[in-house]
């Protein structure tokens, strides 16, 4: 039963974080990003937020630093939007799965073009 609740809360955190980062956060270092997933612990004290950032490695690092600096504001906004006893500590992690999948797709397309000829 706890895993079901944790999953629902994680999805709600993901949805609200996307809105907060997009609309409320005004840091110019934050590039184009997508919240790809949230993994919360069973007691909801911590949450890993997986992000996909479009841009160079430097832009990705700048975005992570900006989000780390704005964690307090993000948590307070999250607390206003979601009624939880304790707002989880947020840890932002770059998610390379989209780039990895895109690279695999490019390789498969090159292989298929070679077979067609």
């Amino acid at each position: 039963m706890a895993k079901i609740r944790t999953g629902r809360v994680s999805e709600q955190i993901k949805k609200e974080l996307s809105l907060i980062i997009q609309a409320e956060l005004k840091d110019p270092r934050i590039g184009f990003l997508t919240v790809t997933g949230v993994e919360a612990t069973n007691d909801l004290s911590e949450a890993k937020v997986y992000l996909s950032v479009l841009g160079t490695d430097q832009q990705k690092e700048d975005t992570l630093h900006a989000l780390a600096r704005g964690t307090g504001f993000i948590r307070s906004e999250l607390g206003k939007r979601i009624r939880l006893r304790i707002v989880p500590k947020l840890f932002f992690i770059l998610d390379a799965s989209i780039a990895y999948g895109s690279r695999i797709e490019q390789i498969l397309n090159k292989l298929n073009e070679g077979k067609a000829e």
Side-chain angles (χ1 to χ4, degrees):
M1 193 64 150
K3 290 190 179 211
I4 295 171
R5 180 173 187 267
T6 304
R8 286 188 309 187
V9 171
S10 294
E11 283 300 313
Q12 187 65 29
I13 290 173
K14 175 182 164 185
K15 179 180 163 187
E16 294 298 332
L17 278 177
S18 296
L19 294 173
I20 291 169
I21 292 171
Q22 183 181 36
E24 304 290 327
L25 222 49
K26 301 293 185 205
D27 195 327
R29 296 177 292 174
I30 295 177
F32 183 74
L33 66 91
T34 304
V35 179
T36 57
V38 174
E39 286 182 7
T41 57
N42 286 337
D43 61 352
L44 298 174
S45 63
E46 296 179 351
K48 294 179 185 175
V49 180
Y50 294 97
L51 305 168
S52 174
V53 181
L54 192 64
T56 63
D57 289 338
Q58 182 62 39
Q59 290 171 332
K60 292 176 183 179
E61 290 298 320
D62 289 344
T63 299
L64 280 181
H65 288 299
L67 288 173
R69 295 276 312 215
T71 301
F73 172 76
I74 294 170
R75 284 185 68 198
S76 67
E77 285 295 314
L78 195 59
K80 292 175 189 174
R81 296 174 185 220
I82 300 175
R83 290 186 40 148
L84 292 172
R85 185 173 297 181
I86 298 172
V87 178
K89 293 178 187 174
L90 302 174
F91 299 100
F92 296 103
I93 302 168
L94 283 178
D95 185 12
S97 64
I98 294 175
Y100 182 71
S102 174
R103 176 75 177 128
I104 290 175
E105 186 176 353
Q106 288 175 351
I107 292 171
L108 290 174
N109 285 340
K110 285 182 182 178
L111 289 174
N112 286 336
E113 287 174 2
K115 287 182 181 179
E117 295 174 355

